[in-house]
Amino acid sequence: MFNEIKDYGFMRNVINSPNRPMEPRNHFSKTPIIYDSLFFISFNTTGNCILGSSAVDNTFWEGTLLYFENDKELEQYNYCGSYIHSTTSDGKFINEKMIALADDTGHINVLSIDEDNTIRTTNYFRLADRVPQVDVWDNSSRILGCGSKSIYIFDFKSSDTKPLQRYEWFHCDTINCVNTLKKDTNLFLSGGRDRLACIWDMRDPVAASLLYTNEFSSVTSIAWNQQDNNYIVTGTQAGDVYLLDKREPKEFLSVLYCFSAPVNRICFKDSSNFAVCGDTNEVLIINSKTSDLDIVYRNEKHQGHVKGLAWYNDVLYSCGFKQTLIKHVI
């Protein structure tokens, strides 16, 4: 039984008087501002959480990363640490005290959480273009990122800012999404505007293999079933999700229309159920146990586009525009 319980909405933006003179801004805020657009949410293994917001509709683009001790503090918006930076669309815990933050200026920032919950930059890597997504592996210092048509793998412990690996030109258009097989640092996925979904094995002389080509639209999200790694789900610009089997490349097992908008995130709960969100106010949970994809839960409580999803135990959290954070108990 799937029941939606609570919607957390917060208005924390600075509001200026309409007759205040327009002054150019060229510096970051000294205190955290929680902007309208929430882009990502991530938990680590001990239950700490990060939430990312960005001011993408202002003349000065700024982002705020908030750090919470646990899910209860998240639900009360009682953050204990923060980091002010350029706008961003993704961030992941590398381990309990380290964070990889994708930056719209073309950086991957490595952040450390100190004992007093101060968050500071300990390393950074420069890519050629905006970084739409990052991902990590379990018990690894490696970070996966993408920019334009290239894929990068970095070691956050390295003093050399050059990537361990850089793969170029397998995709012939912008890469939108990446995802790792958490338990194997050689394997990851990518999807792009060229309508390709690819599976990568860094041990092979030619690392990339074509998993699936969508006939109609670009691949905007991709996720590996971590408990049964034969199966992969992709989401598209057209709002569909496709269930793929890596043993049967270039074909799909099942397809389901979700939204009349692009799919933003796909997030597996277990071997059968995964959550989906997109540029709409809906959050879906889909069951893939049989060859058919079935919607088992639908929530339409968001006030704008939904950008981020994360599971913590059996609870799903979603975040998006209009500063909306929703807890879904399943």
Side-chain angles (χ1 to χ4, degrees):
M1 189 71 179
F2 296 84
N3 294 311
E4 180 272 324
I5 340 202
K6 197 168 183 181
D7 176 353
Y8 300 92
F10 303 89
M11 298 302 293
R12 302 272 203 284
N13 281 1
V14 173
I15 300 174
N16 292 326
S17 160
N19 60 353
R20 178 177 174 175
M22 293 295 292
E23 297 176 359
R25 183 178 167 195
N26 56 11
H27 60 277
F28 290 119
S29 302
K30 296 184 183 297
T31 57
I33 299 173
I34 305 173
Y35 291 104
D36 256 358
S37 303
L38 304 179
F39 276 95
F40 64 86
I41 183 171
S42 176
F43 287 90
N44 64 16
T45 55
T46 59
N48 308 136
C49 177
I50 53 174
L51 181 69
S53 74
S54 289
V56 295
D57 54 354
N58 293 355
T59 55
F60 184 82
W61 283 26
E62 177 179 272
T64 305
L65 177 80
L66 303 175
Y67 171 67
F68 303 87
E69 286 283 3
N70 53 53
D71 57 324
K72 301 303 181 188
E73 300 298 319
L74 169 68
E75 292 168 19
Q76 300 301 319
Y77 242 62
N78 186 23
Y79 59 89
C80 58
S82 63
Y83 179 77
I84 299 168
H85 53 90
S86 299
T87 55
T88 179
S89 54
D90 203 16
K92 295 285 194 308
F93 277 104
I94 305 171
N95 56 39
E96 281 74 11
K97 293 297 181 181
M98 302 297 294
I99 299 166
L101 185 67
D103 197 316
D104 287 343
T105 61
H107 289 83
I108 294 176
N109 290 313
V110 179
L111 309 178
S112 173
I113 305 168
D114 294 339
E115 290 297 323
D116 63 354
N117 293 325
T118 299
I119 301 176
R120 58 188 175 86
T121 302
T122 58
N123 205 347
Y124 73 94
F125 304 102
R126 174 69 180 171
L127 285 69
D129 297 275
R130 174 184 175 268
V131 185
Q133 282 194 8
V134 292
D135 207 0
V136 297
W137 289 268
D138 288 344
N139 305 311
S140 172
S141 59
R142 292 183 174 186
I143 302 169
L144 174 67
C146 58
S148 187
K149 303 172 188 176
S150 299
I151 288 176
Y152 302 78
I153 294 97
F154 297 97
D155 187 329
F156 83 84
K157 296 180 179 179
S158 175
S159 59
D160 187 353
T161 58
K162 294 181 180 178
L164 298 175
Q165 294 281 355
R166 179 178 178 177
Y167 298 105
E168 299 180 274
W169 309 117
F170 190 86
H171 283 277
C172 58
D173 207 336
T174 302
I175 300 168
N176 293 321
C177 50
V178 290
N179 187 242
T180 62
L181 184 62
K182 303 303 181 189
K183 63 185 179 182
D184 192 330
T185 55
N186 294 299
L187 300 177
F188 63 90
L189 304 167
S190 64
R193 290 178 59 182
D194 52 7
R195 300 180 287 112
L196 303 183
C198 302
I199 187 168
W200 299 73
D201 188 335
M202 290 188 283
R203 295 166 295 194
D204 293 342
V206 179
S209 299
L210 179 61
L211 182 63
Y212 176 66
T213 304
N214 190 277
E215 184 178 355
F216 304 104
S217 62
S218 62
V219 177
T220 54
S221 184
I222 194 163
W224 215 321
N225 186 330
Q226 301 293 329
Q227 296 187 22
D228 188 345
N229 62 45
N230 288 318
Y231 298 104
I232 293 155
V233 176
T234 65
T236 70
Q237 183 80 17
D240 304 306
V241 293
Y242 291 78
L243 178 63
L244 311 176
D245 188 331
K246 71 178 184 181
R247 298 164 297 185
E248 301 178 33
K250 303 181 183 179
E251 301 292 336
F252 64 88
L253 300 180
S254 185
V255 60
L256 178 69
Y257 171 77
C258 295
F259 320 116
S260 57
V263 174
N264 288 327
R265 298 279 180 175
I266 299 168
C267 189
F268 270 94
K269 173 180 180 281
D270 49 37
S271 62
S272 301
N273 297 291
F274 59 90
V276 182
C277 69
D279 278 353
T280 177
N281 67 333
E282 296 179 79
V283 174
L284 307 180
I285 296 175
I286 297 170
N287 183 274
S288 61
K289 191 171 184 178
T290 65
S291 57
D292 293 326
L293 297 175
D294 297 316
I295 298 173
V296 294
Y297 172 80
R298 184 190 302 269
N299 181 289
E300 299 177 355
K301 299 296 185 180
H302 273 272
Q303 300 175 45
H305 296 175
V306 187
K307 293 294 186 180
L309 295 172
W311 291 95
Y312 180 61
N313 295 329
D314 289 333
V315 177
L316 175 68
Y317 289 88
S318 59
C319 65
F321 290 176
K322 304 294 184 183
Q323 290 185 350
T324 307
L325 172 70
I326 296 182
K327 176 181 179 180
H328 314 258
V329 173
I330 300 166

